[in-house]
Amino acid sequence: MTDGCRPCVVIWTIFLLSSVMGYKPVIIVHGILDGPRQFEILAKFINQSHPGTSVTTLALYDYIGSMKPLWQQVDGFREAIRPIMESTDDGVHLICFSQGGLICRGVLATLPTHNAHSLILLSSPLAGQYGDSSYLKHFFPKFIKSRLYHFCYTTCGQRISICNYWNDPHQRERYLKSSIYLAPLNGEIEHANSTAWRDSFLRIQTLVLIGGQDDGVITPWESRSLQRFISSRDIEHQKFWYLRDAFGLKTLNSEGAVVKCVVPGVHHTSWHSNHTVYKNCIDKWLT
């Protein structure tokens, strides 16, 4: 084969692999203070192992815009995700990082016709955030975690994204009364959309929960795995929400649809650029 023909062969091979394998489109949703640029390495990993895959990193609420209230962000991301889903009959994969995991859950809960096949959540505070971190000090330099509820559990505080999932275990009543996002999303409070959101969440085929004890930002780090709902060692009211199957987690878990991937030694900002994480926790679910 001449050197001039080799590029053509490579292009046709990639095209044929994409056609034969039928890789589903991948949609990436960034986290707080992030944007598409931070996910270029992840997109490269995907295209190397699954040639021809359509990878879209949504450029919405980037960087400082990511501090907007989560329901506002959900509305915007839902309208960006909907046409991508409608363009394929085979479904899509969602990879959502950090705060983006909560946004993806909100999108799927409020999009009853979604066709998300795999929901892959990279170190997301799914059971809420409660702990000191560099992010917290950046947003609230004058507060310590034990006092942040004074601001977060107010109408003004709930206009900032991180307060939408601030879950202070010592201020349970205030959290339930004030939380306009995490508490209803997790079914911790009754609301008119509880059943519809649960049914919509259950449309996903696989829920992949990725994180590790060296994350350094998500605190407690087990929040990424919704361990507060699954663990039999946790406090009674949280076990009750899981047993009540408030948003479908128990059903998915009982069906073997929940996959947990724990990787030590990975800092929060490195999850989407770590090749070991990609190979061991993400790659196999993108078919």
Side-chain angles (χ1 to χ4, degrees):
M1 182 185 299
T2 65
D3 290 341
C5 291
R6 286 196 177 98
C8 298
V9 172
V10 171
I11 292 171
W12 273 106
T13 300
I14 292 174
F15 174 77
L16 290 173
L17 280 172
S18 177
S19 300
V20 172
M21 297 302 293
Y23 297 129
K24 297 175 178 62
V26 174
I27 303 169
I28 299 174
V29 176
H30 65 78
I32 197 166
L33 298 182
D34 279 333
R37 183 170 57 83
Q38 279 71 34
F39 295 85
E40 292 174 355
I41 294 176
L42 177 58
K44 181 179 179 180
F45 290 160
I46 295 170
N47 280 308
Q48 286 175 339
S49 61
H50 301 281
T53 299
S54 171
V55 181
T56 303
T57 305
L58 295 172
L60 285 173
Y61 297 102
D62 301 342
Y63 307 109
I64 194 66
S66 64
M67 295 176 64
K68 296 285 187 180
L70 289 189
W71 281 124
Q72 179 179 334
Q73 295 193 54
V74 165
D75 289 342
F77 277 102
R78 184 176 59 243
E79 294 314 303
I81 289 172
R82 189 198 308 266
I84 302 175
M85 289 182 167
E86 291 175 348
S87 69
T88 176
D89 295 329
D90 293 333
V92 305
H93 300 300
L94 280 171
I95 302 177
C96 315
F97 172 61
S98 193
Q99 178 180 277
L102 289 173
I103 292 171
C104 285
R105 284 190 56 208
V107 168
L108 297 184
T110 58
L111 191 57
T113 59
H114 78 77
N115 59 358
H117 189 86
S118 297
L119 175 60
I120 302 170
L121 303 179
L122 278 167
S123 195
S124 293
L126 303 175
Q129 174 80 5
Y130 180 72
D132 295 318
S133 69
S134 58
Y135 279 50
L136 180 63
K137 294 173 182 177
H138 178 81
F139 294 128
F140 307 107
K142 296 182 180 180
F143 284 92
I144 58 175
K145 70 176 184 179
S146 62
R147 299 181 58 195
L148 189 56
Y149 76 91
H150 287 293
F151 174 74
C152 276
Y153 296 159
T154 66
T155 300
C156 184
Q158 289 293 301
R159 294 173 183 163
I160 298 177
S161 64
I162 192 171
C163 287
N164 289 160
Y165 49 94
W166 187 254
N167 190 351
D168 188 333
H170 308 292
Q171 302 295 329
R172 185 71 190 156
E173 291 185 7
R174 288 175 181 255
Y175 163 73
L176 292 176
K177 182 178 180 181
S178 304
S179 175
I180 64 172
Y181 191 83
L182 185 64
L185 188 66
N186 280 348
E188 301 173 56
I189 57 176
E190 295 290 341
H191 55 90
N193 295 313
S194 295
T195 300
W197 287 4
R198 180 182 180 277
D199 291 345
S200 187
F201 181 71
L202 286 173
R203 289 174 64 90
I204 63 174
Q205 301 299 308
T206 306
L207 174 63
V208 183
L209 305 170
I210 304 169
Q213 59 269 40
D214 300 311
D215 179 272
V217 171
I218 301 302
T219 47
W221 76 269
E222 294 90 348
S223 181
R224 60 90 205 168
S225 66
L226 287 166
Q227 198 72 16
R228 291 183 176 186
F229 292 91
I230 295 175
S231 175
S232 61
R233 298 187 299 272
D234 218 328
I235 55 180
E236 289 299 320
H237 65 261
Q238 292 169 332
K239 285 164 53 181
F240 174 72
W241 305 326
Y242 174 70
L243 294 173
R244 189 164 55 89
D245 206 17
F247 63 94
L249 180 63
K250 180 183 177 182
T251 294
L252 289 178
N253 199 39
S254 65
E255 294 174 349
V258 179
V259 178
K260 290 185 283 184
C261 191
V262 178
V263 184
V266 181
H267 187 265
H268 188 70
T269 57
S270 299
W271 288 106
H272 42 73
S273 60
N274 185 298
H275 193 258
T276 298
V277 171
Y278 176 75
K279 290 300 294 183
N280 293 343
C281 304
I282 300 175
D283 181 53
K284 67 182 75 175
W285 306 110
L286 300 183
T287 57

